[in-house]
Amino acid sequence: MDHRKTFPVLLLLWGSLQGQAKISPRVISLQQVMFSELQTLEKSAFITHPSHATSNENVLSRLRSVFHEFELQNQESITAILRVLALVDHTLENTIQDCEKVFHLPSLDSENVLFRVVSRPLLLRVESLCQHVASGDLNAIELTMMAVEKEANSYRQRLDETKRYMQIVLHEVSNIEETFTISSKVDKIFGEIEQLNTTFRESIMTATGNLLSRQQAISDEILEGFRDTVDEVGVFEVITDFAMFLSNETELLLEELTEQLDDWVFQTSNMINAFEEGLKNITFELMDSPIESFLRAESPLKCLAGFGYHKAMQKMTQGAESMLQCFSSANDPKRPLEMAYHQLSEMANDVQLTLQDIVHCQQSTLRDDYDTKIFEDMASCFEMAEITFEAMEKFVESKMDEIVLHVDNSMYYNVFQMATCFYYRARKTMFAFASINHQYQSCNVEIDIEL
């Protein structure tokens, strides 16, 4: 049976019997001292502000809500206690009136982790005082009032300490929200990678397009030079074969370089995504987990305040930025890709110069003073053109293989370099986090031992 329901009956039974009973001066003295001190506490300013809760509020919002709820409930408790103390008069006739009504406080059963530790013990003492007042037991009233006064002293110490810890924690977490900007830096890196991807594709397309167009232009000159000659058909076949070869080789080169770039973007993005995911997990362990532990009443506010969030977040930010620096080498592929562009441009020049020699050779046969007898023992321009195109195919094939191999090796090394850098810096950062967590866990162990 709820003891509160017995109050009206007790009031009726004892009201008439104890109406003229005198409350001891010591009780009145204690009442006056506590009343004055609690009045001062009642007027103290809140250190939190109302928060607007949302359905997806984060752990920091919940922490602030718990702090603000505690201050509200604590204020209500002080007001209720003052009302009870105000009822304690020199005679029980005046004292017992409305004691239960004044002290009917829903927050007495609050699950707020701070309220239950800080305020509730005093409320239970005052509730016991109400019961003895209702029963009219003068001896019990005096003993209970002394117990209330003793508990009130402990309460004031707990409250002062709790508010001090609350201020520390609120200051620390506010600094966290203001300084943590790693996500924007990750977005910047992804933007740079995407830009590199786009720029490379455009530059390679330009270079290969230039190679083919210059080859086509000089090939047209060769065909024009051999027009209406006995070698016209042969030259046409040789040039057509070379043009098809060059087009196929260029297409293969584009495919291989694009695949290499796609693979590099894929591996680099995976590392950055792993970094982001790891950062979220570390953030939870470093920031959310201790708060969650406190909210579940598994860890005291003292340890949360001693956690040093701002310092911990500084270390976390430094570690994260250190790991992000590993991805600054993501710009390294610019060098092999730029090399590929220049190699293709140089190859276009080489092909053009070589094919122009064929043009010059044929043009020399059209001079008025050209004497075929002088050159009858030498290979014809067409014969040399056949040999030249065969050599050009080998040269182009070798050059393109060289480009592919160089880009492949450079990008492989770049990924390897980033992964190695990231691994060792991640280990260093995790060690710093482990030290912070160990300090926090040690505080919890010490508190458990004290309890």
Side-chain angles (χ1 to χ4, degrees):
M1 182 176 183
D2 190 345
H3 62 266
R4 293 187 179 89
K5 295 180 181 179
T6 66
F7 281 165
V9 177
L10 291 171
L11 289 172
L12 290 173
L13 289 174
W14 293 99
S16 58
L17 296 175
Q18 305 295 330
Q20 300 302 317
K22 297 288 185 179
I23 295 178
S24 73
R26 185 174 184 181
V27 171
I28 299 301
S29 175
L30 290 173
Q31 178 261 6
Q32 290 173 348
V33 172
M34 280 192 293
F35 193 90
S36 176
E37 292 181 352
L38 289 173
Q39 268 190 322
T40 302
L41 289 178
E42 187 185 33
K43 296 174 184 176
S44 62
F46 280 17
I47 63 174
T48 62
H49 302 285
S51 57
H52 301 286
T54 59
S55 58
N56 60 340
E57 60 179 357
N58 59 30
V59 68
L60 296 182
S61 297
R62 287 164 48 210
L63 178 70
R64 288 192 179 93
S65 295
V66 167
F67 280 3
H68 189 67
E69 179 187 54
F70 162 69
E71 288 198 295
L72 287 175
Q73 292 178 352
N74 183 69
Q75 193 80 353
E76 291 173 358
S77 302
I78 294 174
T79 301
I81 293 170
L82 286 172
R83 288 175 181 170
V84 171
L85 292 176
L87 293 175
V88 178
D89 205 343
H90 294 280
T91 64
L92 287 177
E93 181 180 4
N94 297 326
T95 303
I96 63 175
Q97 300 298 318
D98 296 330
C99 190
E100 182 198 14
K101 180 180 177 182
V102 168
F103 202 67
H104 180 64
L105 196 63
S107 60
L108 188 63
D109 297 321
S110 169
E111 294 298 324
N112 185 288
V113 62
L114 290 177
F115 179 84
R116 296 186 69 83
V117 173
V118 178
S119 309
R120 194 168 185 272
L122 177 59
L123 288 172
L124 293 176
R125 289 291 187 185
V126 176
E127 185 180 44
S128 177
L129 176 64
C130 257
Q131 293 172 354
H132 291 306
V133 166
S135 68
D137 187 342
L138 293 178
N139 290 331
I141 289 174
E142 184 169 341
L143 291 173
T144 305
M145 183 64 84
M146 292 171 63
V148 169
E149 194 270 341
K150 182 179 179 181
E151 185 61 49
N153 289 332
S154 299
Y155 161 75
R156 286 190 292 272
Q157 292 177 1
R158 291 194 301 268
L159 183 61
D160 288 344
E161 185 179 68
T162 298
K163 286 200 170 188
R164 180 164 57 84
Y165 290 150
M166 285 168 61
Q167 286 178 320
I168 293 173
V169 171
L170 289 173
H171 175 71
E172 293 284 343
V173 298
S174 65
N175 284 335
I176 290 173
E177 294 178 318
E178 292 171 4
T179 59
F180 195 58
T181 57
I182 294 297
S183 59
S184 62
K185 296 181 180 180
V186 171
D187 292 340
K188 183 181 178 183
I189 291 177
F190 273 120
E192 291 172 352
I193 291 173
E194 184 59 34
Q195 183 60 47
L196 175 68
N197 192 356
T198 302
T199 301
F200 166 71
R201 292 174 191 276
E202 291 175 351
S203 65
I204 293 299
M205 288 295 291
T206 300
T208 53
N210 182 49
L211 169 65
L212 294 175
S213 64
R214 290 170 69 178
Q215 175 269 329
Q216 184 61 51
I218 195 66
S219 294
D220 290 341
E221 279 192 64
I222 295 173
L223 288 173
E224 184 63 29
F226 281 91
R227 187 179 298 280
D228 299 327
T229 68
V230 294
D231 299 318
E232 180 180 4
V233 175
V235 170
F236 177 81
E237 289 179 355
V238 169
I239 288 180
T240 302
D241 289 344
F242 179 74
M244 184 172 292
F245 163 80
L246 191 60
S247 177
N248 290 338
E249 286 295 309
T250 303
E251 185 176 344
L252 289 173
L253 176 68
L254 277 172
E255 288 179 2
E256 290 194 56
L257 292 181
T258 300
E259 286 178 6
Q260 288 176 356
L261 182 63
D262 288 342
D263 185 57
W264 177 84
V265 169
F266 176 74
Q267 293 188 61
T268 303
S269 297
N270 277 351
M271 275 192 286
I272 297 174
N273 288 329
F275 164 77
E276 276 198 298
E277 188 62 31
L279 196 61
K280 289 178 183 177
N281 295 334
I282 292 171
T283 301
F284 175 77
E285 291 300 323
L286 188 65
M287 183 173 70
D288 292 10
S289 184
I291 295 177
E292 290 281 6
S293 180
F294 162 73
L295 294 176
R296 292 193 301 266
E298 297 171 356
S299 176
L301 183 62
K302 177 181 179 180
C303 292
L304 190 62
F307 187 74
Y309 269 101
H310 183 56
K311 184 178 180 181
M313 188 52 67
Q314 278 185 325
K315 287 188 176 181
M316 179 176 182
T317 303
Q318 290 169 0
E321 289 181 343
S322 173
M323 287 185 280
L324 277 178
Q325 287 173 6
C326 296
F327 301 116
S328 65
S329 59
N331 287 325
D332 287 353
K334 284 183 179 179
R335 291 196 291 271
L337 296 178
E338 287 172 354
M339 181 280 299
Y341 175 83
H342 291 303
Q343 289 279 64
L344 285 170
S345 297
E346 288 178 4
M347 187 166 63
N349 291 334
D350 293 338
V351 170
Q352 182 177 359
L353 290 172
T354 304
L355 295 183
Q356 279 179 337
D357 285 340
I358 298 175
V359 174
H360 296 153
C361 179
Q362 183 60 17
Q363 285 176 344
S364 69
T365 65
L366 303 178
R367 293 171 53 180
D368 293 338
D369 60 348
Y370 182 78
D371 188 348
T372 56
K373 292 181 180 180
I374 297 176
F375 299 99
E376 63 183 357
D377 293 332
M378 295 183 64
S380 68
C381 290
F382 169 64
E383 290 172 331
M384 289 305 301
E386 284 187 304
I387 296 172
T388 300
F389 276 115
E390 287 179 5
M392 282 293 295
E393 287 186 5
K394 293 180 180 179
F395 165 74
V396 168
E397 191 174 31
S398 173
K399 201 70 173 176
M400 289 192 173
D401 287 343
E402 179 186 338
I403 292 171
V404 170
L405 182 62
H406 181 75
V407 172
D408 185 45
N409 286 337
S410 297
M411 288 195 154
Y412 170 79
Y413 178 72
N414 177 251
V415 171
F416 171 75
Q417 186 181 35
M418 284 191 291
T420 303
C421 172
F422 179 73
Y423 174 75
Y424 286 111
R425 293 191 181 186
R427 284 178 62 88
K428 182 178 179 181
T429 303
M430 289 301 296
F431 179 76
F433 296 158
S435 299
I436 294 170
N437 188 58
H438 176 72
Q439 182 180 352
Y440 172 70
Q441 296 298 338
S442 298
C443 174
N444 289 324
V445 171
E446 289 173 6
I447 296 294
D448 289 340
I449 293 174
E450 290 175 5
L451 296 176

